[in-house]
Amino acid sequence: MKDKKHILTAILCLAGALAIIYITSLNFLSVRELPLPMEGPSVKEVKMLSEWFPGLAGTNGDTPVYILEGKKPGGKMLVLGGTHSNEVSGYMSAFLFIENAVIEEGTVYVVPYTNHSGMTHNDPGEGNYQYFTLETKSGLRTFRYGSRATNPVDQWPDPDVYIHYPSGQRLSGSETRNINRGYPGRPDGNLTEKMAYGIAELIRKEDIGLEFDLHEASPEYPVINATVAHQNAMGIASEGCINLMLMGIEMSLEQSPTNFHGLTHRELGDYTNTMAILMETANASQGRLRGATSIAQVLGGMDKCYEVSEQLGMLYVPWDPEVGHPIEERCGRHLQGVYEYSQAYNNANPDKKITYSGVPGYEDLYLNADRSMLGGAQLAMFLM
Ligand SMILES: [Zn+2]
């Protein structure tokens, strides 16, 4: 009789455990499916990155590449969003570009999730969200909020020390899963190195002349409201930067350091023929000095703790307590930057022009916006 009771308890415990595993794995598997951009007027094709590097096929590092073509031939440009999947303005700018751009001359490749694996998990220890939603023209749409690093389910364990290929540079082990320390990548490396190699192969095989990598960083990080360019791209970056500043966009310009390896603006410039440019905006939800993480902070860019930090002189961006740094300002900076730098590229390469219209810029998204719409609603007006 006693034994029977024990068996019954054991069966009940096992059933309970299986139910918990089932429910949590549903959530776990659902976050591996990513919401995709809708196809705007110039999208001709969507291919997977494995078309250019087959070693990614069937892995969580394979990612969609949107190909936007103009009526006239011209130059080729690549926009990378989601290098770091917790840097919202990077991938939301990619969504805005894909859904709005009307390409006149040339071809534009857009990758919304450069580290696809990084977007399939988040950093719960940071109080980060898995999702946020926006009310768009087609109704309520869900967008993801991921992690800076490759999902450990896809690549684990990290070594104690990460040795970059091919420079031999040594970094902390966790940087092994940071794709922006993995360029130029290698075909037989770990998943992060393979993803980086895939991007480099896309640039080499398509002969892409201009490349953008869109980032965000915390307001207390020195490289912010900034552009970093490979030395080959400094000419066009200087011209574009002057035009951005004439529009009232505060932008610092730095040349990519030659002794800091693994980043797009260093390695894609060195290992391909592209002009590599990276931009950074200020994201309040990434900083150590922030208050509790909230969607209002992620999209609205407001935070009481940063008001105090600014008064103490600890920030590298101006901080207006009434406005903060909303998603519209951040995406507006990125998209205006892509526009101005591509214009400068066209001036230097009149036989390889990339011209387009329809993409909202700094004025559409931010300067001319009704203040009450900032924090997501204004941006959502430009999503399909
Ligand atoms: Zn970043």
Side-chain angles (χ1 to χ4, degrees):
M1 189 66 195
K2 235 184 177 181
D3 279 357
K4 261 192 180 170
K5 248 189 176 175
H6 286 322
I7 291 168
L8 195 66
T9 314
I11 289 171
L12 282 173
C13 286
L14 187 65
L18 288 173
I20 291 168
I21 289 169
Y22 178 72
I23 292 164
T24 50
S25 62
L26 281 184
N27 170 267
F28 189 79
L29 292 172
S30 76
V31 296
R32 289 176 84 87
E33 287 292 318
L34 300 183
L36 293 175
M38 294 189 189
E39 294 180 22
S42 285
V43 175
K44 285 288 173 310
E45 232 178 326
V46 185
K47 291 184 176 177
M48 296 302 283
L49 190 58
S50 53
E51 292 260 342
W52 291 275
F53 172 48
L56 285 172
T59 73
N60 198 23
D62 205 2
T63 195
V65 180
Y66 288 72
I67 304 171
L68 287 69
E69 257 175 39
K71 288 194 180 73
K72 291 188 208 164
K76 292 181 174 180
M77 165 171 114
L78 170 65
V79 179
L80 299 176
T83 287
H84 293 139
S85 311
N86 55 339
E87 298 173 10
V88 183
S89 79
Y91 58 89
M92 289 312 293
S93 295
F95 271 68
L96 287 166
F97 198 100
I98 291 165
E99 298 191 7
N100 290 284
V102 177
I103 312 293
E104 283 127 28
E105 294 167 281
T107 307
V108 182
Y109 300 79
V110 188
V111 183
Y113 302 128
T114 301
N115 184 343
H116 188 276
S117 168
M119 194 57 93
T120 62
H121 71 132
N122 73 339
D123 298 314
E126 291 284 330
N128 283 351
Y129 288 78
Q130 290 182 326
Y131 302 99
F132 61 90
T133 56
L134 290 172
E135 189 65 49
T136 69
K137 282 179 257 180
S138 60
L140 194 69
R141 285 175 65 183
T142 300
F143 301 91
R144 291 297 312 276
Y145 189 100
S147 167
R148 176 179 173 83
T150 301
N151 192 332
V153 169
D154 299 317
Q155 187 183 317
W156 190 260
D158 294 338
D160 290 337
V161 176
Y162 164 47
I163 299 170
H164 171 256
Y165 172 83
S167 72
Q169 167 184 273
R170 285 161 172 257
L171 291 172
S172 145
S174 62
E175 293 288 66
T176 310
R177 288 181 292 119
N178 178 355
I179 190 174
N180 208 29
R181 299 295 180 274
Y183 290 98
R186 52 179 157 178
D188 56 350
N190 60 43
L191 182 67
T192 307
E193 289 173 314
K194 284 181 180 173
M195 291 188 284
Y197 185 77
I199 296 293
E201 281 290 275
L202 166 66
I203 295 172
R204 284 189 284 258
K205 289 181 174 167
E206 298 298 329
D207 194 20
I208 295 171
L210 179 61
E211 176 270 336
F212 293 99
D213 186 13
L214 306 179
H215 286 254
E216 301 204 88
S218 64
E220 61 268 35
Y221 181 67
V223 184
I224 204 86
N225 283 359
T227 296
V228 187
H230 187 268
Q231 65 268 20
N232 296 347
M234 279 302 280
I236 63 163
S238 311
E239 184 183 326
C241 201
I242 289 168
N243 289 329
L244 289 168
M245 288 195 285
L246 288 172
M247 283 189 75
I249 299 177
E250 194 185 310
M251 181 71 89
S252 63
L253 174 61
E254 286 181 28
Q255 184 170 311
S256 171
T258 51
N259 59 353
F260 188 18
H261 290 284
L263 297 96
T264 51
H265 52 71
R266 167 57 30 218
E267 311 297 350
L268 293 177
D270 282 355
Y271 286 87
T272 79
N273 292 325
T274 206
M275 292 193 180
I277 290 177
L278 179 148
M279 283 183 273
E280 295 272 6
T281 57
N283 180 349
S285 61
Q286 284 181 262
R288 296 268 71 83
L289 301 177
R290 74 181 192 276
T293 313
S294 66
I295 291 297
Q297 182 195 58
V298 172
L299 297 178
M302 305 270 252
D303 190 317
K304 287 261 178 253
C305 294
Y306 276 120
E307 292 177 39
V308 179
S309 314
E310 206 235 0
Q311 286 156 17
L312 296 171
M314 300 175 93
L315 303 187
Y316 286 88
V317 279
W319 196 272
D320 179 344
E322 301 293 316
V323 189
H325 289 280
I327 188 70
E328 288 84 0
E329 182 232 15
R330 289 138 57 196
C331 286
R333 292 179 63 93
H334 277 331
L335 293 170
Q336 198 67 44
V338 169
Y339 182 78
E340 298 300 340
Y341 294 131
S342 65
Q343 289 283 306
Y345 176 84
N346 292 343
N347 293 340
N349 300 276
D351 56 330
K352 285 186 187 172
K353 279 189 174 176
I354 305 142
T355 56
Y356 64 89
S357 59
V359 178
Y362 190 69
E363 287 182 345
D364 308 306
L365 284 167
Y366 179 64
L367 265 193
N368 298 341
D370 178 345
R371 298 284 102 169
S372 68
M373 297 281 284
L374 297 178
Q378 177 73 10
L379 179 136
M381 281 173 48
F382 295 93
L383 290 167
M384 290 171 90

